[in-house]
Amino acid sequence: MALNFLSTAEIRAISFLDSSNSSTQHLKLKAQTPPPAWPGRAVAEPDRKVWDGPKPISIIGSTGSIGTQTLSIVAEHPDKFQVVALAAGSNVTLLADQIKRFKPKLVSLRNEALIDVLREAIADVEHKPEIIPGEEGLVEVARHPDAATVVTGIVGCAGLKPTVAAIESGKDIALANKETLIAGGPFVLPLARKHNVKILPADSEHSAIFQCIQGLTEGSLRRIILTASGGSFRDWPVEKLKEVTVAGALNHPIWNNMGKKVTIDSATLFNKGLEVIEAHYLFGAEYDDIDIVIHPQSIIHSMIETQDSSIIAQLGWPDMRIPILYTLSWPDRVYCSELTWPRLDFVKCGPLTFKAPDNEKYPSMNLAYSAGRAGGTMTGVLSAANEKAVEMFIAEKIAYLDIFKVVELTCAKHRDELVNSPSLEEIVHYDLWARDYAASLVSSKGLSPVLV
C-alpha cells in the first residue's frame, strides 16, 4: 500500500517553508548557531598526544558496514590500532567472531535477549571480555577508559547518547553517525568545544572537505562543493520515478557495502541534503555557500573553493575505508598496500563529468536546505522522518515518491513546535515524535492509505 503519488507539479512545489504562510515566519529568524567543529580550517596542536604503540579505539556498531570496514583496517594495521571495546546490535555470530579475532576488553549487545547466545558462542574464548547489555553497554563502550577514539557507526539517534558520553569522557569522535550533528549539533558542538574533543568526519564527502582544509589560514574558505553520484535513478526522467521498486533503489551504480538506508538515501539524494546540514555544522559554512553537484564517477569526493577562487579537491576510488582510516590516523597518513588499497589511475577512471542536480527529481534538496535554515530541532525531525519513510519504503508500505511527501508533511507539522536551542532530551523527544508522526501517515488497517 502507498500514499498517493506526487505529480511533477507537486515535486516542483515541495517546501514546508512557504513564505506566504504567516505561521512559518518565526522560522525566518536566525537560530542560534553552535560553534563549528572545524571553522574552515584544520590544524593539529603541536602538543597532541602521539602513541608509542597501537592507538586504542572503541567501535559503536561493530557488525555494521562502518564497523566491519574499521575492523578490516585494524586487521591490516595491528601496529597502528587496537580494539578495546565493541558494541553491536543483534548479530551475535559476527560479534562472536570479532571477539575471537580482536580480543576486546568490553563488549555490548543491544539486544539483551541474545546475551546468553553470545556467551555460549564465545565459551571457548580464553580471555573473555566483560559483557554489558542494552543502552548501558553502548554508553560504557563509548567511554571505555582505555579508548582514545570512538568510531560511531550506528544509524539514528541511538548513536547520540553514547557519542555524548564519549565526548564527556574526552574521547575523540570518528563520526559516521549523521544524527550526532544533524539532530544533535546544537547540543553536541558546544559540548565538544567544552571538552576539547575532536570530531573527525568518517563519511567520504566530509572527509574530503576535511582533507582539503588542512593548513588553510583563518577566513580562507569561501565555498563547499559536495559531489553526489546521483544514485540509482540519476538517468531516469522524473515521470518514470513512480515505477521505482525497492530492488531497483538498492542497486547503486558505484558504491557497494553502504547498507540499505544509505543506498536509498543516495537514490533520493536525501544523503546529500543531510550532508549539506552536516557540512554547515562541521565547517561553519553558511547554507548559501554550500553547493551540490552531480558527479557520476564518484572519483572526486568533494571540493572547496578558497577566497581567491582556487578549487581544492580530494580524489580516489570509491572506498569508504579511506575516510575511516583518516579519522583514526589524523593528522598522520598511514601507508597502505596496493594489494588492498588500489592507487588511483586517471587513465583507467576515464573522463570526469558534472551536472547540476534536478530539483524536480530530487525535492530532498529543497527540504534539507529549508530545514537547515530553520535550524534547531527541525534538522533532526527531517532526518528522523526520512529514516522512518525509508524503512516504510523498504517494507513496501509506501512508494518511492512518498518518501519526499512523508518528510515534507512531518516537517510542516513540526513548524509550530520548533526549538531553536534544544537540550539533549528535546532532541531525542522530537526524533521519536517525527518517527511516530511519519508512521501515522500510513493507514494501519490495510486499507488504501490517504495523506493526513
Side-chain angles (χ1 to χ4, degrees):
M1 294 296 181
L3 304 171
N4 295 330
F5 287 123
L6 275 70
S7 67
T8 301
E10 284 179 304
I11 292 174
R12 186 183 297 114
I14 198 166
S15 173
F16 61 88
L17 291 182
D18 183 357
S19 59
S20 64
N21 187 338
S22 60
S23 69
T24 68
Q25 291 304 307
H26 69 285
L27 297 186
K28 308 290 184 185
L29 298 175
K30 187 175 180 63
Q32 183 177 346
T33 304
W38 303 95
R41 60 197 298 260
V43 179
E45 297 90 343
D47 59 346
R48 68 182 179 86
K49 184 171 181 178
V50 178
W51 299 95
D52 295 329
K55 185 179 183 180
I57 65 172
S58 290
I59 303 175
I60 306 293
S62 68
T63 58
S65 173
I66 296 296
T68 54
Q69 290 180 87
T70 302
L71 287 171
S72 73
I73 293 170
V74 175
E76 185 173 350
H77 300 282
D79 59 322
K80 300 292 185 183
F81 312 107
Q82 65 173 326
V83 175
V84 296
L86 296 174
S90 58
N91 191 336
V92 172
T93 301
L94 182 52
L95 179 59
D97 290 341
Q98 292 173 349
I99 292 170
K100 293 173 183 178
R101 183 172 187 181
F102 296 99
K103 301 177 176 57
K105 299 176 182 178
L106 173 65
V107 166
S108 170
L109 189 64
R110 196 173 182 195
N111 188 338
E112 300 185 34
L114 296 174
I115 290 294
D116 289 340
V117 179
L118 176 62
R119 294 187 190 280
E120 183 177 348
I122 62 170
D124 59 344
V125 173
E126 183 178 355
H127 300 289
K128 294 180 177 59
E130 180 184 3
I131 300 175
I132 303 178
E135 188 173 288
E136 179 189 355
L138 276 175
V139 169
E140 292 306 319
V141 167
R143 64 186 183 193
H144 192 282
D146 293 343
T149 296
V150 179
V151 180
T152 60
I154 60 175
V155 175
C157 260
L160 192 52
K161 287 185 178 180
T163 302
V164 167
I167 292 172
E168 290 177 336
S169 299
K171 317 296 184 185
D172 286 342
I173 307 298
L175 183 66
N177 171 267
K178 290 185 179 298
E179 284 72 20
T180 296
L181 293 184
I182 293 167
F187 177 84
V188 167
L189 288 171
L191 189 69
R193 173 168 289 190
K194 175 183 176 182
H195 292 279
N196 193 30
V197 160
K198 301 291 186 293
I199 297 179
L200 302 151
D203 65 313
S204 61
E205 293 81 3
H206 296 110
S207 176
I209 297 163
F210 181 61
Q211 293 181 59
C212 289
I213 65 172
Q214 300 296 315
L216 287 187
T217 56
E218 187 173 354
S220 294
L221 181 64
R222 183 176 184 177
R223 180 167 59 118
I224 287 172
I225 305 163
L226 293 166
T227 56
S229 69
S232 306
F233 311 115
R234 63 190 181 198
D235 299 321
W236 287 33
V238 67
E239 293 78 11
K240 192 180 177 183
L241 292 179
K242 62 184 180 181
E243 302 173 16
V244 167
T245 64
V246 174
L250 290 173
N251 185 25
H252 196 282
I254 298 291
W255 290 90
N256 297 314
N257 198 25
M258 293 196 302
K260 290 184 179 181
K261 164 67 165 54
V262 178
T263 305
I264 300 297
D265 281 353
S266 180
T268 62
L269 221 69
F270 259 114
N271 70 325
K272 212 54 51 179
L274 294 171
E275 285 168 12
V276 166
I277 297 168
E278 201 171 359
H280 167 76
Y281 282 132
L282 276 169
F283 308 110
E286 297 294 336
Y287 286 101
D288 289 344
D289 298 325
I290 306 174
D291 294 339
I292 298 172
V293 64
I294 302 295
H295 171 49
Q297 295 81 19
S298 295
I299 297 296
I300 297 177
H301 299 300
S302 276
M303 300 171 271
I304 65 166
E305 180 183 14
T306 57
Q307 294 293 348
D308 59 4
S309 77
S310 292
I311 300 291
I312 304 173
Q314 187 265 329
L315 291 75
W317 294 121
D319 189 338
M320 278 300 298
R321 294 176 305 162
I322 295 173
I324 294 170
L325 174 61
Y326 198 53
T327 64
L328 301 178
S329 67
W330 180 83
D332 299 321
R333 298 281 184 172
V334 174
Y335 173 81
C336 295
S337 165
E338 290 186 49
L339 295 176
T340 52
W341 304 71
R343 294 162 72 177
L344 181 63
D345 185 323
F346 284 96
V347 175
K348 288 182 179 179
C349 75
L352 305 180
T353 60
F354 309 89
K355 63 179 180 179
D358 185 341
N359 281 284
E360 291 187 14
K361 184 185 291 187
Y362 304 115
S364 50
M365 292 185 297
N366 286 341
L367 288 169
Y369 275 98
S370 295
R373 290 186 171 104
T377 49
M378 187 63 79
T379 52
V381 165
L382 174 96
S383 178
N386 172 63
E387 187 176 333
K388 186 62 181 181
V390 169
E391 178 188 313
M392 293 190 292
F393 167 65
I394 292 172
E396 299 185 343
K397 294 180 180 179
I398 64 173
Y400 173 79
L401 288 176
D402 298 326
I403 295 173
F404 305 109
K405 198 65 177 178
V406 166
V407 176
E408 183 203 19
L409 291 172
T410 306
C411 289
K413 183 69 174 178
H414 182 58
R415 286 180 303 198
D416 294 329
E417 294 188 27
L418 183 145
V419 181
N420 280 329
S421 299
S423 65
L424 181 60
E425 290 73 20
E426 288 170 321
I427 290 167
V428 173
H429 167 76
Y430 283 111
D431 174 271
L432 296 173
W433 171 87
R435 295 168 195 273
D436 290 342
Y437 186 78
S440 76
L441 295 171
V442 178
S443 172
S444 62
K445 297 183 180 180
L447 302 174
S448 200
V450 294
L451 293 175
V452 174

